[in-house]
Amino acid sequence: MDRADLDFAHLPFAYHKTDANVRVFFREGAWSAPEVTSEEYLTLHMASVCFHYGQAIFEGLKAYERPDGRVQTFRARENARRMRHSAEKLLMEPVPEEVFLDAVQRVVQANRRFVPPHASGASLYIRPFEIGVSAEVGVKPSIDYLFMVFATPVGPYYKAGFTPVRLLVQEEIDRAAPGGVGDTKAAGNYAASLRATVAAKKQGYSEVLYLDAREKRYIDESGSSNFFAVRDRTFITPASPSILRSITNASVRRLALDMGLSVEERPVAVEELASFEEAGALGTAAIITPVEAITYGEQEFVYAKDGQAGPITTALYERLTAIQTGEAEDPYGWCEVVPD
Ligand SMILES: *Cc1c(COP(=O)(O)O)cnc(C)c1O
């Protein structure tokens, strides 16, 4: 293999053109055969439902080069299931799991030379998405859909990698409400969070920490990652109807149990911030990102003194990334080798 000429150890988390993407159309009630193309642009009708009424959902997962040079994806089937859940909530045509997994496999194969080398700290980020493409003017679900997958090599989401970030508790702006679609990867959720995120970044924070929209009493999550904290050897993460059910979070809970920690998934009151020993963000892009400090009103709570992540956050990060990169054996069946 002739690997792409890129500085893989210093990649940003950003789009970089690769060789191919995959397209599958839902037309006249059936999914088409997948098309593998190098074309980066789409031609869509200007009245497509996705532009006006927001039928647009996405997923995010990663592929890693293992020590033996083969490539593996991490829990892709869970992403396929979650995209089905997102589609059902937005009355979109659910992409069959096998269509999803086949397209992911094809996009990895077609972009093999962009998979970052093992141990480079980078990975191939895979972005499946689905949009409603029928021309409509009235508010109604699209009849036709386009499901696409592209891939791009990425470095860590937070510039500093596994170094702690600062979060700002947001009390004014809500990202999602109970009964809404905060538990889906609907594109509109991210548009709704931009105002808060951009403002927080201007003030020197990496991300926002949202509270529940109803009472502003419980911690929800960040704009693109779940939240966890550690206290008394217990891994604590919010349960809430308005957060995205992170696959990384589910994986880390499993690892925490197997490392002998207790795990609590429950409403987490914002007052508890004062009692946590460690805190972090969880997601495919963030992996496990330690939280250095959280600002809540006038108060600041510090979890990573001198910028050093705590011992449990560090142990969980090392265990998770060892499995994802193929460094450690995968006793859970989470990883799947992509055939050459
Ligand atoms: C994608 C996402 C996450 C992380 O989910 P993973 O399955 O771990 O990638 C968390 N919160 C939000 C809002 C997200 O969009």
Side-chain angles (χ1 to χ4, degrees):
M1 176 201 36
D2 201 7
R3 207 185 297 269
D5 182 21
L6 285 172
D7 185 4
F8 284 104
H10 300 100
L11 287 176
F13 192 90
Y15 178 75
H16 186 282
K17 186 181 187 322
T18 52
D19 288 336
N21 59 78
V22 180
R23 303 167 183 210
V24 192
F25 293 88
F26 186 81
R27 285 194 203 106
E28 290 172 14
W31 289 100
S32 71
E35 291 170 22
V36 181
T37 171
S38 61
E39 175 58 53
E40 289 173 284
Y41 288 85
L42 292 170
T43 301
L44 295 175
H45 195 285
M46 61 189 171
S48 291
V49 175
C50 60
F51 296 135
H52 306 272
Y53 306 128
Q55 277 191 313
I57 56 178
F58 68 97
E59 273 300 327
L61 67 154
K62 283 175 172 172
Y64 300 84
E65 187 178 278
R66 302 161 18 128
D68 64 7
R70 294 194 291 169
V71 178
Q72 65 184 21
T73 51
F74 183 72
R75 308 201 76 176
R77 192 172 286 277
E78 294 302 317
N79 293 94
R81 292 199 178 121
R82 191 171 60 195
M83 203 168 87
R84 164 175 283 271
H85 169 75
S86 296
E88 284 167 354
K89 272 196 105 163
L90 271 68
L91 290 188
M92 297 171 66
E93 182 64 31
V95 176
E97 267 176 43
E98 297 317 316
V99 170
F100 183 103
L101 294 172
D102 173 71
V104 166
Q105 186 170 312
R106 283 174 199 269
V107 91
V108 174
Q109 287 166 336
N111 294 298
R112 176 64 186 90
R113 68 191 189 95
F114 289 96
V115 180
H118 180 75
S120 61
S123 56
L124 187 72
Y125 183 73
I126 302 164
R127 169 54 61 84
F129 67 100
E130 185 187 6
I131 52 178
V133 295
S134 298
E136 295 286 356
V137 180
V139 180
K140 57 167 92 82
S142 184
I143 298 164
D144 295 339
Y145 291 88
L146 168 58
F147 168 58
M148 276 189 70
V149 186
F150 69 80
T152 193
V154 295
Y157 188 69
Y158 292 109
K159 253 184 248 135
F162 189 69
T163 44
V165 300
R166 306 166 68 79
L167 302 183
L168 175 66
V169 175
Q170 174 56 250
E171 293 177 274
E172 302 301 320
I173 302 174
D174 297 319
R175 135 180 209 283
V181 294
D183 65 334
T184 70
K185 281 184 110 75
N189 287 340
Y190 305 86
S193 72
L194 288 174
R195 204 162 38 113
T197 308
V198 170
K201 285 194 176 151
K202 271 201 192 121
Q203 293 174 254
Y205 298 93
S206 300
E207 250 294 3
V208 164
L209 189 58
Y210 293 97
L211 300 182
D212 77 286
R214 201 194 312 255
E215 294 185 73
K216 306 279 160 124
R217 241 201 94 193
Y218 298 99
I219 297 170
D220 257 0
E221 63 171 333
S222 278
S224 58
S225 45
N226 276 186
F227 176 78
F228 76 94
V230 176
R231 178 176 64 214
D232 297 336
R233 291 191 58 79
T234 303
F235 178 93
I236 302 163
T237 192
S240 159
S242 49
I243 67 176
L244 201 272
R245 295 182 73 87
S246 156
I247 297 161
T248 312
N249 190 350
S251 310
V252 169
R253 290 200 302 273
R254 176 78 240 182
L255 297 177
L257 283 174
D258 290 355
M259 282 164 52
L261 304 175
S262 303
V263 169
E264 293 178 4
E265 191 185 9
R266 56 164 173 83
V268 178
V270 70
E271 295 84 63
E272 291 186 60
L273 284 175
S275 67
F276 295 143
E277 296 153 11
E278 300 178 33
L282 297 159
T284 296
I287 315 177
I288 298 178
T289 298
V291 169
E292 176 179 343
I294 300 178
T295 300
Y296 174 45
E298 301 291 291
Q299 296 167 282
E300 188 191 53
F301 303 103
V302 178
Y303 305 106
K305 292 181 194 72
D306 313 320
Q308 282 294 107
I312 290 177
T313 303
T314 305
L316 289 168
Y317 175 84
E318 282 172 357
R319 181 82 181 111
L320 176 68
T321 53
I323 293 173
Q324 289 174 329
T325 59
E327 203 70 58
E329 217 191 303
D330 165 24
Y332 307 103
W334 289 341
C335 300
E336 196 164 354
V337 170
V338 177
D340 292 334

